[in-house]
């Protein structure tokens, strides 16, 4: 049982619904709006796009066309700014364009060629932004099983100082690039490095390398940590591991078998991906079939049955942080509670958001949630004696 449980904000739920006609459209757009504070989107660019789509249609073609249009327009503005020599303006616009491309492809099937085209355009623009970051964001390639996993490391400065470092794992549909807007600014602001990598089942590893998701996630995590050990700017005695959404399985699973991890966070707790995610939220079943390399529902169910923290949770002996919302329609909060109840480690922090923050990934309380997550890692990794 946890040593400490935090009862979080119980204010009345207040959200921004640009698409009241469709719950999934609305929720995913709140995900995008949450990133406005850190440059992942612009509120009024989103509002203008939503106005073109309208508040009555549920036509996915209109969704894809209008978000793609915004992505293209903002990308063109970035190019124009770059030609003028306005580097900061260009960098920010390239980053926002990436977010809009990601948003445009969310509801497309994996077989739709527009999904790959949006991914290619979006990541290209993000990488244009990286080139304008004065080296604070660095592209990395992690060797793994005969290929590489693509990603980024973000540092507070270019001093080369050895710092505590958090590996941030995404969920079922996130790109490594999107994770920048979920932690890529918060961790460096607290003098930590953060690493985002397209591990199996995500991003470029899924789309171009057929690296499908796997229950033994400690294997790809170990490859990333091996890579980090060779860097002079990473204090490998102070490594943290965080996972968001489906990553709420990946991170605890890997940490239970990877002794180099000194603190772990599940931003959305879970117990069984099959019951708490796949069966709980059918709209993402096709996505989970794709990321596991399954040909149909039956095969996905068989594979996902292995994605459980049963027999794993009680192996964690390091500090654990679990965050979940009572109105999460994507991942069942019952799984988070079961995970917390199974923990035997002494240092457990739990945020159950009821009211503000109660949506999936606390999109409606994003600034607070990301701050609490990064502060928690700062405190826990500071408690580990730094290397000389």
């Amino acid at each position: 049982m946890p040593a400490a449980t935090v009862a979080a904000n119980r204010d009345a739920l207040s959200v921004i619904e640009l698409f009241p006609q469709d719950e999934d459209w609305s929720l995913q757009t709140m995900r995008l709006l949450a990133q406005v504070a850190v440059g992942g989107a612009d509120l009024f660019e989103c509002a203008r796009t939503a106005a073109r789509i309208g508040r009555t249609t549920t036509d996915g073609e209109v969704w894809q066309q209008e978000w793609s249009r915004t992505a293209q327009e903002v990308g063109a503005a970035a190019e124009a700014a770059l030609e003028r020599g306005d580097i900061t303006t260009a960098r920010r616009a390239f980053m926002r364009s990436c977010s809009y491309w990601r948003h445009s492809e969310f509801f497309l099937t994996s077989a739709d060629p527009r999904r790959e085209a949006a991914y290619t355009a979006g990541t290209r623009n993000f990488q244009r932004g990286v080139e304008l970051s004065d080296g604070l964001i660095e592209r990395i390639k992690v060797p793994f099983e005969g290929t590489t996993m693509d990603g980024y490391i973000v540092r507070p400065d270019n001093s080369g100082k050895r710092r505590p470092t958090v590996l941030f794992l995404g969920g079922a549909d996130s790109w490594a690039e999107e994770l920048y807007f979920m932690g890529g600014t918060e961790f460096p602001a607290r003098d930590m490095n953060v690493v985002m990598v397209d591990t199996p089942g995500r991003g470029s590893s899924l789309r171009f390398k057929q690296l499908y998701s796997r229950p033994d996630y400690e294997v790809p995590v170990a490859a990333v940590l091996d890579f980090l050990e060779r860097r002079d700017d990473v204090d490998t005695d102070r490594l943290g591991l965080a996972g968001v959404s489906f990553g709420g399985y990946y991170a605890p699973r890997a940490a239970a078998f990877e002794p180099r991890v000194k603190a772990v966070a599940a931003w959305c707790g879970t117990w069984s991906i099959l019951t708490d995610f796949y069966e709980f939220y059918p709209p993402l079943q096709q996505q989970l079939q794709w990321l596991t390399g399954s040909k149909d529902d039956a095969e996905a169910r068989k594979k996902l049955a292995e994605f459980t923290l049963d027999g794993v949770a009680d192996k964690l002996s390091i500090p654990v942080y679990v965050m979940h919302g009572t109105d999460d329609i994507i991942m069942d909060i019952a799984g988070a509670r079961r995970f917390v109840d199974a923990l035997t480690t002494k240092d457990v922090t739990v945020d159950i958001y009821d009211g503000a923050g109660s949506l999936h990934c606390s999109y409606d309380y994003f600034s607070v949630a990301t701050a609490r997550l990064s502060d928690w890692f700062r405190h826990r990794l500071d408690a580990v004696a730094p290397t000389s």
Side-chain angles (χ1 to χ4, degrees):
M1 295 292 292
T5 299
V6 179
N9 194 304
R10 293 183 179 276
D11 293 340
L13 181 63
S14 178
V15 297
I16 301 173
E17 287 194 283
L18 295 181
F19 301 104
Q21 73 272 31
D22 189 294
E23 183 177 40
D24 293 322
W25 282 16
S26 182
L27 179 62
Q28 292 306 320
T29 304
M30 280 187 269
R31 170 180 173 177
L32 183 62
L33 294 177
Q35 299 169 18
V36 166
V38 291
D42 176 85
L43 178 61
F44 294 99
E45 288 170 349
C46 292
R48 286 191 288 272
T49 307
R52 294 197 305 266
I53 294 171
R55 298 169 69 87
T56 58
T57 184
T58 56
D59 186 346
E61 289 297 308
V62 176
W63 170 281
Q64 189 275 333
Q65 290 166 11
E66 294 304 330
W67 285 109
S68 295
R69 171 182 165 182
T70 299
Q72 291 170 336
E73 290 175 350
V74 175
E79 295 286 2
L82 187 59
E83 289 183 9
R84 296 192 303 269
D86 297 331
I87 303 303
T88 299
T89 300
R91 183 185 72 249
R92 291 174 175 172
F94 278 130
M95 296 293 198
R96 298 199 311 277
S97 175
C98 172
S99 296
Y100 301 142
W101 278 120
R102 187 204 62 77
H103 204 50
S104 77
E105 58 95 63
F106 184 85
F107 295 106
L108 299 175
T109 68
S110 59
D112 192 318
R114 292 175 298 179
R115 190 161 205 187
E116 183 176 315
Y119 177 84
T120 300
T123 54
R124 180 179 61 243
N125 278 355
F126 184 89
Q127 288 157 11
R128 296 290 302 280
V130 168
E131 292 169 359
L132 304 175
S133 72
D134 292 327
L136 298 182
I137 312 173
E138 177 188 338
R139 293 180 66 183
I140 60 175
K141 291 184 177 294
V142 177
F144 183 67
E145 296 189 346
T147 183
T148 58
M149 298 183 292
D150 304 324
Y152 308 87
I153 183 169
V154 188
R155 300 178 297 268
D157 56 42
N158 293 318
S159 67
K161 174 184 174 182
R162 290 171 62 84
R163 287 184 167 93
T165 301
V166 176
L167 171 59
F168 196 2
L169 302 174
D173 61 314
S174 62
W175 307 355
E177 291 75 14
E178 185 193 10
L179 293 178
Y180 174 76
F181 305 112
M182 303 182 82
T185 62
E186 295 297 310
F187 289 103
R190 291 160 176 81
D191 205 38
M192 293 177 281
N193 303 320
V194 64
V195 177
M196 304 92 65
V197 176
D198 278 333
T199 44
R202 300 177 41 255
S204 58
S205 291
L206 172 64
R207 288 164 173 80
F208 306 128
K209 302 174 185 180
Q210 289 72 56
L211 289 177
Y212 298 110
S213 188
R214 51 195 292 167
D216 58 339
Y217 227 70
E218 65 274 14
V219 177
V221 165
V224 179
L225 300 188
D226 289 345
F227 175 86
L228 295 178
E229 283 188 327
R230 297 192 289 271
R231 295 185 63 100
D232 293 334
D233 54 0
V234 172
D235 184 348
T236 50
D237 284 338
R238 294 191 289 169
L239 291 172
L241 182 61
V244 61
S245 193
F246 196 144
Y249 166 81
Y250 292 146
R253 164 70 200 212
F257 297 98
E258 178 47 73
R260 289 174 288 187
V261 175
K262 299 303 189 294
V264 64
W267 186 353
C268 294
T270 189
W271 184 256
S272 163
I273 291 296
L274 177 60
T275 59
D276 302 337
F277 193 173
Y278 189 82
E279 294 177 348
F280 187 72
Y281 189 64
L284 278 181
Q285 287 183 350
Q286 194 276 335
Q287 175 76 18
L288 295 182
Q289 291 171 25
W290 180 33
L291 68 87
T292 55
S294 303
K295 64 180 181 299
D296 55 26
D297 174 74
E299 184 178 358
R301 288 175 179 274
K302 182 177 180 181
K303 289 182 177 180
L304 289 172
E306 298 183 48
F307 289 71
T308 175
L309 295 177
D310 188 10
V312 175
D314 61 355
K315 290 182 171 60
L316 287 164
S317 59
I318 57 177
V320 177
Y321 178 37
V322 181
M323 179 165 38
H324 212 104
T326 57
D327 292 310
D328 191 333
I329 66 169
I330 294 179
M331 294 182 73
D332 191 351
I333 193 173
R337 289 176 169 143
R338 189 173 180 186
F339 171 53
V340 170
D341 286 344
L343 290 168
T344 58
T345 187
K346 294 180 179 180
D347 185 349
V348 180
T349 302
V350 182
D351 277 348
I352 299 298
Y353 291 113
D354 185 13
S358 62
L359 299 181
H360 184 61
C361 297
S362 300
Y363 298 141
D364 58 321
Y365 209 40
F366 204 69
S367 294
V368 173
T370 54
R372 283 190 58 79
L373 178 72
S374 47
D375 284 341
W376 183 87
F377 272 107
R378 178 76 261 185
H379 296 315
R380 294 313 184 278
L381 296 180
D382 272 353
V384 179
T387 56
S388 58

